[in-house]
Amino acid sequence: MSSKSHKAGGLASLRSTLNEVLRSQRAKDNFKNLMRVNKDGGFDCPGCAWGDSKDGAFQFCENGAKAVAWESTARTVDRRFFAEHSVTQLMKQTDHWLEFQGRLTEPMRYNHQTDHYEPVSWADAFSLIATHLQALASADEAEFYTSGRASNEASFLYQLFGRAFGTNNFPDCSNMCHEASGLALTQSVGVGKGTVVLSDFEQADTIFVYGQNPGTNHPRMMNALKKAAKRGCTIVAINNLKEVALNRFASPQDPVELLTPAATQISSLYITPKLGGDMAFVRGMVKALQQSGATFNQQFINRHTVDSEAYLNRVSQTSWQDIEQQSGVNKSEIEQAAQLFVQSKQAISTWAMGLTQHKHSVDTIRELVNLHLLFGQIGRPGAGLCPVRGHSNVQGNRTMGINEKPPKAFLDALQQRLDFKPPTAHGHNVNQALQALHQGQAKVLVCLGGNLAAAAPDTEFTYRAIANAKLNVQISTKLNRSHLLVGQDALILPCLGRTEIDQTSKGPQQITVEDTFSMVHASAGGNEPVGADCLSETRIVAEIAAATLGPVPVNWLDYAQDYSLIRTLIGDVLPAFANFNDKIKQQGGFHLANSAALLQWNTRSGKAQFHAVDLPADIFPQSLSAQLATSEQPTLTLQTLRSHDQYNTTIYGMNDRYRGIENQRQVLFINQSDAEQQGLSEGDWVQITSLWPDQTQRQVDGFQVVFYDIPKGNAAAYYPETNPLVPIDSYGDLSFTPTSKSIAIQISKSTSKIPLVTS
Ligand SMILES: Nc1nc2c(c(=O)[nH]1)N[C@H]1C(S)=C(S)[C@@H](COP(=O)(O)OP(=O)(O)OC[C@H]3O[C@@H](n4cnc5c(=O)[nH]c(N)nc54)[C@H](O)[C@@H]3O)O[C@H]1N2
Ligand SMILES: Nc1nc2c(c(=O)[nH]1)N[C@H]1C(S)=C(S)[C@@H](COP(=O)(O)OP(=O)(O)OC[C@H]3O[C@@H](n4cnc5c(=O)[nH]c(N)nc54)[C@H](O)[C@@H]3O)O[C@H]1N2
Ligand SMILES: [Mo]
């Protein structure tokens, strides 16, 4: 393990980008791809959901380039590959190895007798799916999962098919990601999306970045932060770890900066709360301001909000002792942050998984909204709330109706336009879908992208749940764990990627996506498809629908040839998309209006809603707290996060440059004093066991101790390797999001150095 670098970005970043492009074995195509990414007439980066700026020549970043080169590789997985490797053998390979084999190129069906995937024709694959679906006693025995890369067009057809078939079972990656943000924002300000756009970052004078590692996960956001810092905007990082990029950042897009040692100082203040301590931290800011007699924006409060008094009463009742104890931040630092907020004319708060993957995430985000409401820091240029989304079209998926709890207005519009009665009962989220599969109540699993097996918590439980399906259908670009959990029947359906030309009988098609700022724009790949037998996601969904339902309620196959027909249909159902086909011709696409940004409140009271609750007694459920209180061995709280060389369950490489980790993923970041207290030295191998009030033993082995600047009592390790530790029943209140950032663990010396986890 090498020492940590002091700035992020820079030459090392450029080197890493070049490496990835060369490793794809399609260097020429990929350099061309990088010129076209996130540009008008080009394609949307399959990396993150950050918005596109209109200023520079290049719109890519190191990790976006990795995502592009990873998809656009010359390596392929075909029938010969599957003939060579049985599923049992493949199961022994790591996640990295599986995806590294290349792009899936032809439809395959699992054969139990031989334990191999074997070629199947597209027609037979579609009719097998139809046979399974038609055999179900109820449509609710099917689960339709979506990962956030699917286009608006594919997602809209997919939800239409599911609902025409008769179910709202649409578990999706949002359930494990920003679900709490959507819920909290809907309750507080009436719309489940961020209220700012990219240009607001040019106007804000203070930006608070909570629980987010943009240097790795949203590198293009670093350019916005860097520009802001340079013009004197104050940036406050609130992060459990000292993330290098939030301290200093050099942009690989800026050749001058690259060649000079001085990188931009990003954060003026860096707060390191304990895991799950952000609600207490924000409460502390409000308490500090209340006690210092700061002037709240009474005019805004009176005109636009309800329940401010109830909230402020709760704040005065909350003790500093509780605030400091739960946040792990001392009063003077909280006061400092509060001063920066109150001095600011235009403040933005951004956040990601550090806020959303806890038990009290919905309350935490509502607390943050409370703070903004007290000062009217919303709905003005340069001020507002910004949950930074993960997958490149995860926000668009929801807009298109991938939602297990669809709004009534959406269902009504579907019914009116298409003359069928969509189901109104709520469907399953990821947790409920896995439970239903586990219990044998759900029998068919269809996944439009993603890697549910590796992304979901409680690996053993999840594996059993997926393998229990009578039919497991995976629509994918690359081979992954989810293909290997074979039920009675299993199909791999290979699809085109973002970088590829999507040619139909009506010519090349474009798709559309929505970014984190609610900008909708078109995307069209320019590469010849790697697999001659791949179909587009849209076509695959349409064919499944046609095989199962016939041409009802729409003529699916026509839509699969001409995506502008789908966009017209979307415009008929969703008023914001009227004239959709014309609107995407505008440079940069079009913006979906955000009601809260316009100071219109679609809440029950018609006003923005303060949320008045006590701080939780603990970040864990009471039963677990009680168990921890009686434990003799020391316990820690673990967060699971991403390295610099991965995209969720896709592992590009084994390094985590900014955190100084090389060639290793099974590491446990831990405070030196916590380690020494347990007699552990840096480099020791440990076993990690999670605690939960049930009888199940959840353990991983073969993790190497790394001392790190992390609050005492906290630890960190990479996902998905640590997913076996997250109990299936440990999820956020209301959100059902696995508590991937607060897992109670104990560690002990390893019994072996051989990693026992499957990644
Ligand atoms: N290259 C790349 N880009 C990606 C992804 C990827 O895997 N690779 N994934 C995409 C997806 S789907 C998503 S959702 C986003 C994820 O983007 P992030 O949310 O940045 O991802 P994580 O790695 O989970 O990082 C969580 C951050 O929150 C901090 N944190 C954890 N717990 C707490 C807490 O309790 N309080 C505070 N204040 N901080 C905390 C961690 O130290 C870490 O810096 O990125 C998207 N973009
Ligand atoms: N412990 C822990 N668990 C977590 C998290 C965490 O922080 N900690 N984060 C959670 C979060 S935020 C998320 S979003 C989920 C991610 O969950 P998912 O979205 O399900 O997982 P990904 O790893 O993004 O999916 C990767 C697979 O998608 C397929 N793929 C890639 N591109 C395309 C495409 O264009 N089309 C299709 N059809 N398939 C494609 C490839 O086959 C690839 O193997 O994981 C969650 N799980
Ligand atoms: Mo995500």
Side-chain angles (χ1 to χ4, degrees):
M1 275 162 271
S2 76
S3 67
K4 296 160 201 54
S5 54
H6 297 295
K7 67 169 193 257
L11 275 175
S13 172
L14 199 62
R15 214 176 297 126
S16 167
T17 308
L18 287 176
N19 266 347
E20 219 44 65
V21 167
L22 295 176
R23 232 165 39 130
S24 72
Q25 301 178 358
R26 280 185 89 174
K28 207 169 120 213
D29 286 342
N30 276 322
F31 282 120
K32 261 199 248 157
N33 275 335
L34 294 183
M35 302 298 137
R36 298 183 71 242
V37 70
N38 293 332
K39 307 273 257 180
D40 275 320
F43 64 95
D44 182 66
C45 181
C48 73
W50 188 254
D52 308 334
S53 98
K54 296 189 176 65
D55 56 358
F58 301 131
Q59 294 292 338
F60 69 88
C61 64
E62 175 191 346
N63 279 347
K66 284 185 203 162
V68 167
W70 191 258
E71 172 183 302
S72 180
T73 170
R75 270 186 297 277
T76 54
V77 167
D78 55 14
R79 60 181 69 190
R80 263 178 320 190
F81 173 89
F82 285 110
E84 265 170 45
H85 304 275
S86 71
V87 166
T88 306
Q89 284 164 350
L90 290 172
M91 198 61 195
K92 294 187 185 128
Q93 300 292 346
T94 64
D95 290 332
H96 171 73
W97 188 92
L98 290 174
E99 280 215 30
F100 188 71
Q101 302 314 304
R103 286 285 300 276
L104 296 160
T105 55
E106 58 183 325
M108 306 295 295
R109 178 182 179 177
Y110 181 65
N111 180 339
H112 262 289
Q113 259 82 51
T114 60
D115 189 36
H116 282 259
Y117 269 102
E118 293 166 1
V120 61
S121 71
W122 278 107
D124 287 349
F126 296 134
S127 80
L128 182 70
I129 299 171
T131 306
H132 273 276
L133 287 174
Q134 286 155 356
L136 297 178
S138 144
D140 292 329
E141 293 178 355
E143 305 287 353
F144 296 101
Y145 177 76
T146 314
S147 162
R149 274 195 197 174
S151 65
N152 288 334
E153 289 74 6
S155 315
F156 188 85
L157 279 197
Y158 192 55
Q159 64 78 30
L160 181 59
F161 163 58
R163 296 197 162 106
F165 179 63
T167 184
N168 281 317
N169 284 350
F170 293 107
D172 74 333
C173 68
S174 272
N175 299 146
M176 300 182 277
C177 183
H178 262 296
E179 192 69 51
S181 307
L183 283 168
L185 290 171
T186 303
Q187 291 171 348
S188 292
V189 298
V191 53
K193 299 181 183 183
T195 67
V196 299
V197 294
L198 189 53
S199 61
D200 288 314
F201 283 78
E202 291 159 16
Q203 298 179 58
D205 55 25
T206 319
I207 301 170
F208 286 76
V209 182
Y210 289 88
Q212 191 193 350
N213 181 22
T216 286
N217 298 314
H218 303 93
R220 286 179 301 128
M221 176 175 173
M222 291 313 299
N223 293 333
L225 292 181
K226 192 186 71 171
K227 271 203 262 169
K230 279 194 169 161
R231 64 172 172 77
C233 172
T234 304
I235 294 170
V236 182
I238 303 98
N239 197 302
N240 182 246
L241 294 179
K242 281 277 169 63
E243 300 285 20
V244 174
L246 284 171
N247 269 333
R248 294 167 77 71
F249 186 77
S251 166
Q253 278 94 320
D254 182 341
V256 178
E257 184 149 299
L258 229 160
L259 297 171
T260 56
T264 312
Q265 178 75 37
I266 295 284
S267 302
S268 326
L269 179 63
Y270 204 118
I271 309 261
T272 48
K274 288 204 289 203
L275 290 170
D278 299 83
M279 181 175 176
F281 169 75
V282 176
R283 169 105 8 145
M285 288 213 283
V286 177
K287 190 169 181 77
L289 295 171
Q290 195 180 40
Q291 289 185 335
S292 71
T295 330
F296 299 135
N297 186 339
Q298 211 55 52
Q299 203 186 344
F300 181 91
I301 294 174
N302 293 343
R303 181 150 172 221
H304 289 291
T305 73
V306 291
D307 291 346
S308 62
E309 277 169 26
Y311 170 63
L312 288 170
N313 278 338
R314 299 277 176 151
V315 176
S316 33
Q317 283 158 19
T318 313
S319 73
W320 273 113
Q321 196 193 346
D322 285 353
I323 288 170
E324 286 189 314
Q325 194 271 332
Q326 193 164 109
S327 68
V329 187
N330 62 43
K331 188 177 167 193
S332 71
E333 259 193 315
I334 298 178
E335 285 169 341
Q336 218 183 326
Q339 275 312 311
L340 291 174
F341 194 89
V342 77
Q343 282 161 13
S344 147
K345 289 200 179 65
Q346 293 111 335
I348 293 177
S349 292
T350 81
W351 69 92
M353 298 304 101
L355 289 204
T356 64
Q357 296 178 331
H358 294 286
K359 180 169 176 9
H360 301 104
S361 290
V362 174
D363 282 346
T364 300
I365 296 161
R366 294 195 68 179
E367 188 78 14
L368 185 53
V369 180
N370 289 345
L371 171 65
H372 276 252
L373 293 179
L374 282 174
F375 294 93
Q377 289 282 16
I378 184 170
R380 290 191 277 114
L385 300 160
C386 182
V388 184
R389 301 282 165 176
H391 268 300
S392 51
N393 196 38
V394 64
Q395 189 160 313
N397 292 173
R398 271 288 155 93
T399 308
M400 291 299 116
I402 302 296
N403 191 342
E404 75 280 6
K405 295 179 289 188
K408 183 172 179 303
F410 179 78
L411 296 183
D412 289 347
L414 273 186
Q415 178 164 4
Q416 205 170 12
R417 169 66 179 77
L418 290 163
D419 206 19
F420 80 105
K421 200 161 170 21
T424 51
H426 287 177
H428 291 159
N429 55 33
V430 164
N431 185 282
Q432 293 155 338
L434 289 171
Q435 300 276 8
L437 284 162
H438 201 267
Q439 289 159 18
Q441 285 162 3
K443 300 188 169 76
V444 174
L445 171 67
V446 182
C447 292
L448 182 55
N451 183 1
L452 183 60
D458 218 338
T459 306
E460 228 185 283
F461 181 96
T462 290
Y463 280 12
R464 255 185 287 138
I466 297 177
N468 229 4
K470 287 193 172 160
L471 173 67
N472 171 5
V473 182
Q474 299 286 332
I475 302 165
S476 321
T477 51
K478 292 273 191 100
L479 182 64
N480 66 43
R481 193 72 52 202
S482 299
H483 303 112
L484 307 178
L485 300 166
V486 280
Q488 182 183 315
D489 264 319
L491 287 166
I492 298 175
L493 305 181
C495 66
L496 298 175
R498 284 270 173 88
T499 53
E500 292 173 323
I501 300 168
D502 184 353
Q503 183 77 37
T504 73
S505 64
K506 304 281 182 190
Q509 300 296 310
Q510 24 175 18
I511 53 117
T512 60
V513 294
E514 176 185 338
D515 68 25
T516 224
F517 304 117
S518 306
M519 290 295 302
V520 179
H521 58 88
S523 168
N527 286 358
E528 283 302 324
V530 173
D533 210 11
C534 287
L535 295 180
S536 74
E537 291 178 335
T538 313
R539 169 92 186 270
I540 294 173
V541 171
E543 293 274 3
I544 294 174
T548 311
L549 300 175
V552 183
V554 295
N555 201 340
W556 305 97
L557 299 181
D558 291 349
Y559 286 73
Q561 296 303 317
D562 182 355
Y563 301 175
S564 71
L565 297 176
I566 308 177
R567 286 189 287 272
T568 304
L569 182 59
I570 294 171
D572 291 347
V573 174
L574 293 164
F577 288 81
N579 304 318
F580 196 174
N581 285 302
D582 290 334
K583 281 191 195 149
I584 54 171
K585 290 182 193 139
Q586 298 166 32
Q587 209 194 352
F590 65 101
H591 183 241
L592 295 173
N594 179 288
S595 49
L598 299 169
L599 302 178
Q600 293 159 5
W601 315 104
N602 293 329
T603 57
R604 237 181 275 159
S605 60
K607 298 267 178 102
Q609 180 76 48
F610 275 92
H611 183 52
V613 293
D614 289 331
L615 275 192
D618 191 358
I619 63 163
F620 298 122
Q622 213 183 346
S623 51
L624 178 58
S625 305
Q627 187 183 343
L628 298 181
T630 58
S631 163
E632 279 164 24
Q633 217 192 314
T635 57
L636 299 170
T637 307
L638 175 78
Q639 64 150 317
T640 59
L641 40 50
R642 294 154 172 79
S643 80
H644 194 63
D645 274 0
Q646 78 181 81
Y647 193 93
N648 296 339
T649 69
T650 296
I651 313 301
Y652 303 129
M654 308 302 280
N655 299 339
D656 191 7
R657 204 172 67 238
Y658 297 166
R659 299 197 185 103
I661 300 298
E662 270 175 24
N663 237 337
Q664 169 70 299
R665 282 185 55 85
Q666 296 203 181
V667 292
L668 181 70
F669 299 102
I670 176 174
N671 185 299
Q672 185 167 353
S673 67
D674 283 332
E676 285 171 356
Q677 197 194 343
Q678 300 198 49
L680 293 167
S681 313
E682 189 151 46
D684 278 355
W685 296 87
V686 292
Q687 212 172 50
I688 313 172
T689 310
S690 63
L691 292 104
W692 189 250
D694 64 6
Q695 299 302 313
T696 312
Q697 154 113 321
R698 297 181 180 86
Q699 194 169 66
V700 293
D701 202 351
F703 279 65
Q704 217 170 2
V705 169
V706 174
F707 294 163
Y708 211 76
D709 189 350
I710 186 169
K712 272 177 79 170
N714 288 172
Y718 301 127
Y719 128 81
E721 287 82 350
T722 42
N723 258 339
L725 298 173
V726 188
I728 187 78
D729 295 323
S730 178
Y731 48 71
D733 295 343
L734 300 175
S735 67
F736 283 84
T737 300
T739 57
S740 309
K741 299 287 190 272
S742 43
I743 308 152
I745 57 159
Q746 290 179 331
I747 50 179
S748 54
K749 284 227 166 126
S750 250
T751 46
S752 77
K753 281 188 201 169
I754 302 149
L756 294 184
V757 289
T758 43
S759 298

